[in-house]
Amino acid sequence: MRRAVLVLPDQLTDQVGPVAEALAGDSNKAPQIIMVEARDAWALPRHIQALVSQVAAGREFASSLRGRGLTVIQVTSDSLESGLQQLAKTYTIKQCTVMEPASPEDLTRLRAAVAAAGIELNVVPNALWLTSRTAWDEFREGRRELRMEFWYRRVRADRGWLMESTPKGAKPVGGEWNLDHDNRQRLPKGAKVPAVPNFPRSKEVLAAIKDVTPYAVRAFGDAEAFDWPTTRVEALEALEHFCADRLAEFGPYEDAMSTDHQHLFHSLLSSSMNLGLLTPEEVCERALKEWKKRPKAIPLQSIEGFIRQIIGWREFMHHAYMDYWETWRTANGLQHTAALPQFFWTGETKMACVSRVVNKLKRTGHAHHIERLMVLGNFALLLGVNPQQVDAWFLETFIDALPWVVTPNVVAMSQFADLGTITSKPYIAGGAYVSRMGDDCGNCFYDPKITVGDRACPLSTLYWNFIDRHAKALGKNPRMGTQIRAWAGREASVKKAIRARGSEVHRLAQSGEL
Ligand code: FAD
């Protein structure tokens, strides 16, 4: 019986895992590669470009493996279940190896589907992750709080990345683990920002658009504007461009926002990593190599900040999802019940920041971290939207969205719905923050400096409303004390006016007039 390797749609790697082993071994003994294109996945509410990139990248991956001598059987079927049955019946697949899916719920579904098809499943660790579950369990052992920073330090020390030897042992290069305090600069007027590479729609992308569109009835976004890597070659090109042109400024302007420069100095590599086209390890190693080559041009704060996003946040969020995904399905510690306003889909609001980011999402499927956290997530949190609705919306509207990365970032980090499993306080800010970090407020109907009246920035009003509403729940949080005391010290008449404007903002948000 010939062995088979099942490749899942977000495991398109020939660098690590069973496919890499098949390519490296004796071609006569190589396993068959099996893949299922499931049409029910095309009907999921997702950004149209996310659906298209997954389909096109899967097909291009299959054809590249065929070109390198492997036998690839790719079936298109109504669902994963029916696809596996087809593989079992038509191609007599009886046994297959798969890398562990990124989300536990996918593993449960996969196990049931292969069992129903009469296929024996051999699950091996997912080699796309930089860190193992064993390393995570050791890290968790005896810890009361899960904080990214401590995980990050551990992974960095284990890897020896940005570490230097001293007589007292290995230390972080430059003496500090985390240089985030240097990474909060606003983009100066007239600053030059390099263009990002373009990935014109290939014939596979055009075919994927044609195939997926009839099923993608609930899909958000513009398929015609598709401009993302769908092959390893393109993903490597994106990585090269980032290292050559944008890594140096990544750190200082990581949190900046700009109406002129939609991507600033961000890498735009999340969708490539989330599909498996690039491994996080090679991304980090390539960036480190660039920094070693040009240490004067690339400041430590940039390389440190970039590496932290990947070995810190990305890996941390995945492990946390494996542990908490079931809790986060219903977590709503702040008891938020408001509906997500319609302008999250249309972009039709007088709030310049929210409108700009939603319109950018329709076009590109991408917004950078601060736009996700401090514009969209912040507004939803301050408005008191149900966290699972916010989660569903983020899953629907981004090129790089998959449950393992959306839910920890949205439910736990951005919406603080579990009251702090992985973060120490809610990420909230009034309009002054948006004004400080970008230039949206210059074009806005609202004024970030005021909290009452028709022109008051909704973020500024809702910020104080949030503190007011949750003073009790957050009262014991040492990082919220200053704000809670500031609110408590306000005059009764001021509080009354902010509460009244807050109610008005809620009404306007739901009626579409905000
Ligand atoms: P860069 O700014 O260049 O960062 C480099 C890489 O670091 C990213 O490509 C990404 O792989 C990783 N990274 C950075 N922060 C995180 C994080 N918090 N969690 C996981 N990985 C991180 N990331 C996704 O990949 N998919 C999502 O659907 C997603 N949804 C998010 C929703 C919210 C509310 C928030 C606050 C964050 C979300 N993130 C998500 C994390 C992060 O915002 C994106 O990874 C990043 O903006 C992608 O753009 P980039 O590749 O240019 O990243």
Side-chain angles (χ1 to χ4, degrees):
M1 186 174 60
R2 189 131 172 233
R3 291 174 304 131
V5 168
L6 173 65
V7 173
L8 298 178
D10 59 349
Q11 298 182 350
L12 307 179
T13 181
D14 57 7
Q15 299 298 299
V16 290
V19 171
E21 285 158 23
L23 286 165
D26 178 349
S27 59
N28 293 321
K29 292 189 191 147
Q32 307 181 88
I33 308 298
I34 54 175
M35 298 172 77
V36 177
E37 272 189 354
R39 291 194 204 92
D40 62 351
W42 303 354
L44 290 173
R46 292 283 195 279
H47 197 291
I48 184 74
Q49 296 180 15
L51 295 170
V52 166
S53 69
Q54 198 166 73
V55 171
R59 291 177 184 174
E60 295 191 66
F61 185 68
S63 103
S64 103
L65 296 186
R66 282 190 194 108
R68 293 158 74 190
L70 292 184
T71 304
V72 182
I73 307 169
Q74 190 176 33
V75 296
T76 304
S77 192
D78 286 342
S79 63
L80 173 70
E81 288 74 11
S82 60
L84 288 166
Q85 308 241 351
Q86 198 179 329
L87 285 164
K89 273 198 195 127
T90 316
Y91 300 95
T92 57
I93 303 290
K94 297 268 173 267
Q95 177 275 345
C96 74
T97 295
V98 69
M99 288 204 296
E100 185 178 5
S103 300
E105 64 274 31
D106 288 346
L107 180 57
T108 306
R109 183 176 172 186
L110 180 62
R111 282 195 194 283
V114 288
I119 300 175
E120 194 188 307
L121 188 69
N122 170 32
V123 181
V124 297
N126 187 332
L128 281 163
W129 300 111
L130 264 161
T131 54
S132 68
R133 290 298 290 168
T134 314
W136 174 258
D137 291 342
E138 282 167 16
F139 164 72
R140 283 210 62 165
E141 180 88 28
R143 256 171 219 277
R144 273 192 305 126
E145 286 183 332
L146 283 181
R147 294 293 176 258
M148 185 283 293
E149 180 64 24
F150 300 108
W151 166 253
Y152 162 59
R153 292 181 188 187
R154 196 181 167 109
V155 180
R156 194 169 139 188
D158 281 353
R159 288 266 159 182
W161 286 344
L162 298 176
M163 301 295 292
E164 61 194 356
S165 311
T166 71
K168 288 187 181 163
K171 289 258 166 61
V173 172
E176 278 181 275
W177 287 101
N178 184 323
L179 301 174
D180 214 18
H181 46 79
D182 292 337
N183 288 357
R184 290 174 195 150
Q185 290 179 35
R186 189 187 158 98
L187 191 74
K189 263 206 174 100
K192 285 211 165 60
V193 178
V196 299
N198 294 112
F199 299 99
R201 287 170 301 157
S202 59
K203 66 177 190 325
E204 288 80 4
V205 167
L206 292 172
I209 293 176
K210 193 160 158 269
D211 291 349
V212 163
T213 303
Y215 296 86
V217 282
R218 285 183 58 197
F220 170 93
D222 177 3
E224 300 306 310
F226 187 95
D227 190 11
W228 290 100
T230 55
T231 63
R232 176 159 169 82
V233 171
E234 289 178 339
L236 284 170
E237 188 187 333
L239 174 60
E240 287 307 309
H241 267 268
F242 169 67
C243 290
D245 298 343
R246 308 198 299 289
L247 174 59
E249 264 90 13
F250 175 86
Y253 304 117
E254 194 181 345
D255 289 0
M257 291 184 274
S258 163
T259 53
D260 288 335
H261 304 287
Q262 56 181 349
H263 301 311
L264 288 142
F265 300 94
H266 291 274
S267 70
L268 307 182
L269 294 173
S270 52
S271 69
S272 296
M273 278 189 272
N274 296 355
L275 284 170
L277 298 176
L278 297 175
T279 70
E281 181 168 26
E282 73 185 325
V283 170
C284 291
E285 282 180 342
R286 177 65 192 87
L288 286 164
K289 189 172 155 203
E290 190 69 23
W291 171 70
K292 282 182 193 147
K293 195 167 90 188
R294 299 190 289 134
K296 287 205 177 106
I298 299 174
L300 190 56
Q301 73 203 78
S302 284
I303 186 67
E304 187 281 312
F306 183 69
I307 296 293
R308 175 162 29 88
Q309 302 313 306
I310 296 176
I311 66 174
W313 281 116
R314 189 173 188 274
E315 295 281 316
F316 177 82
M317 289 308 208
H318 176 250
H319 285 299
Y321 183 75
M322 299 289 282
D323 288 353
Y324 290 104
W325 66 281
E326 280 173 300
T327 313
W328 289 337
R329 272 189 165 172
T330 51
N332 191 359
L334 296 173
Q335 291 166 15
H336 282 174
T337 53
L340 195 69
Q342 195 54 26
F343 56 72
F344 268 72
W345 279 271
T346 63
E348 285 164 19
T349 162
K350 289 181 282 196
M351 276 187 291
C353 54
V354 174
S355 173
R356 177 181 64 77
V357 180
V358 172
N359 281 309
K360 176 162 86 163
L361 276 179
K362 284 201 237 173
R363 224 173 37 252
T364 68
H366 188 269
H368 70 67
H369 190 69
I370 288 301
E371 292 169 335
R372 299 184 203 211
L373 186 65
M374 300 313 292
V375 175
L376 302 169
N378 181 32
F379 180 78
L381 176 61
L382 295 179
L383 193 70
V385 178
N386 172 275
Q388 282 69 36
Q389 261 196 47
V390 185
D391 190 49
W393 180 83
F394 270 95
L395 201 53
E396 285 186 41
T397 50
F398 284 81
I399 182 72
D400 51 13
L402 289 169
W404 69 263
V405 62
V406 171
T407 303
N409 273 296
V410 175
V411 176
M413 186 187 205
S414 158
Q415 301 303 296
F416 204 65
D418 59 0
L419 304 179
T421 308
I422 57 169
T423 55
S424 57
K425 75 175 193 46
Y427 283 90
I428 51 169
Y433 175 86
V434 174
S435 171
R436 195 164 60 245
M437 296 316 300
D439 55 359
D440 282 302
C441 300
N443 312 320
C444 191
F445 172 84
Y446 298 110
D447 182 341
K449 291 191 286 302
I450 53 177
T451 46
V452 292
D454 291 350
R455 294 273 171 154
C457 170
L459 291 172
S460 304
T461 309
L462 292 176
Y463 177 84
W464 290 112
N465 268 204
F466 180 95
I467 302 288
D468 183 22
R469 255 199 342 270
H470 296 303
K472 222 178 185 174
L474 302 173
K476 289 202 183 103
N477 185 322
R479 297 191 65 195
M480 295 301 293
T482 312
Q483 291 99 314
I484 291 171
R485 281 191 297 278
W487 173 252
R490 292 225 162 159
E491 280 185 23
S493 59
V494 175
K495 286 183 180 170
K496 193 173 161 202
I498 293 180
R499 285 183 187 130
R501 177 62 189 163
S503 303
E504 183 65 359
V505 169
H506 274 266
R507 189 187 67 72
L508 295 171
Q510 299 305 340
S511 68
E513 296 162 271
L514 197 64

